[in-house]
Amino acid sequence: VPPLGYAIAQLHGIYVLAQNADGLVVVDMHAAHERITYEKLKAAVLTGAVPTQRLLVPEVLAVSEADADRVEEVSESLMHLGIVLERSGLQAVTIREVPSLLAGDAADLVRDVLADVGELGTSQRIEAANESLLATMACHGSVRAHRQLTLTEMNALLREMERTPNAGQCNHGRPTYMVQSLEALDGMFLRGQ
């Protein structure tokens, strides 16, 4: 039996319930997927090979003038993270590419990243804060609560977790899973007493 066992159900669209050799495994699916996505993005950035998805139709995004100014200053730093943006007006930027792992709602991703960039300031600070930006990007690209997963998808998540460094906690430090032993469960229900 794999360390995180096999999925048996999903609880309230938030938790994956699995059974392993020790007992019950409860996985916060968003936190777990966030860690997996973060580690994949981090590895891609370290190797300088972030796979990107070119938007078939580039998306023009209305932003503040300050954000548009920032895009001009930090576009090269963002390109290293797999986000290709260019200023296209006084209060507009055009999204050309996003990381393949995060292909989805490009506008929300760019808004989240620009909010972080606004807090960080200069492009030198962005380079130093890559991990923070990657964490924001991973959170944006992770499976959301209340999404119904099939047993196959739940088991795929469990197997990915087993292969992922630091899979026991999300990027914000929260645990991604807990194991309740069969012995502890028996004690809770006063079995064998």
Side-chain angles (χ1 to χ4, degrees):
V1 176
L4 294 178
Y6 295 105
I8 54 177
Q10 192 174 11
L11 181 65
H12 293 288
I14 299 170
Y15 300 102
V16 171
L17 305 179
Q19 178 178 313
N20 71 1
D22 297 324
L24 175 68
V25 179
V26 180
V27 177
D28 178 330
M29 65 185 204
H30 173 75
H33 193 238
E34 183 178 320
R35 171 54 78 176
I36 291 165
T37 303
Y38 171 79
E39 292 295 341
K40 286 180 177 179
L41 283 169
K42 186 170 135 183
V45 167
L46 286 175
T47 63
V50 178
T52 62
Q53 172 74 45
R54 180 176 282 281
L55 301 184
L56 184 59
V57 177
E59 187 169 347
V60 177
L61 182 64
V63 296
S64 68
E65 188 173 346
D67 277 345
D69 291 341
R70 273 188 214 99
V71 165
E72 286 186 310
E73 181 187 334
V74 301
S75 63
E76 193 169 317
S77 297
L78 294 178
M79 194 178 306
H80 287 99
L81 299 176
I83 299 174
V84 178
L85 300 175
E86 62 186 39
R87 186 174 195 160
S88 52
L90 186 62
Q91 294 182 317
V93 296
T94 300
I95 308 167
R96 302 249 176 235
E97 297 178 34
V98 295
S100 298
L101 278 172
L102 308 177
D105 189 345
D108 280 349
L109 170 64
V110 168
R111 280 190 186 96
D112 288 348
V113 169
L114 287 178
D116 282 1
V117 168
E119 290 177 21
L120 293 171
T122 67
S123 58
Q124 292 81 15
R125 289 195 57 206
I126 289 170
E127 295 295 329
N130 267 356
E131 289 191 20
S132 175
L133 284 172
L134 290 175
T136 293
M137 292 166 60
C139 185
H140 174 81
S142 297
V143 66
R144 298 287 181 206
H146 308 298
R147 176 170 166 220
Q148 293 302 306
L149 301 179
T150 66
L151 281 175
T152 302
E153 290 171 322
M154 288 184 249
N155 281 312
L157 178 67
L158 296 173
R159 300 299 76 82
E160 273 295 316
M161 288 177 68
E162 291 165 352
R163 291 188 296 269
T164 300
N166 307 310
Q169 68 182 39
C170 78
N171 313 326
H172 310 294
R174 294 186 305 116
T176 58
Y177 71 94
M178 50 91 35
V179 177
Q180 190 71 37
S181 73
L182 194 54
E183 182 180 292
L185 288 170
D186 284 347
M188 290 169 61
F189 289 96
L190 306 175
R191 292 182 57 87
Q193 304 226 0

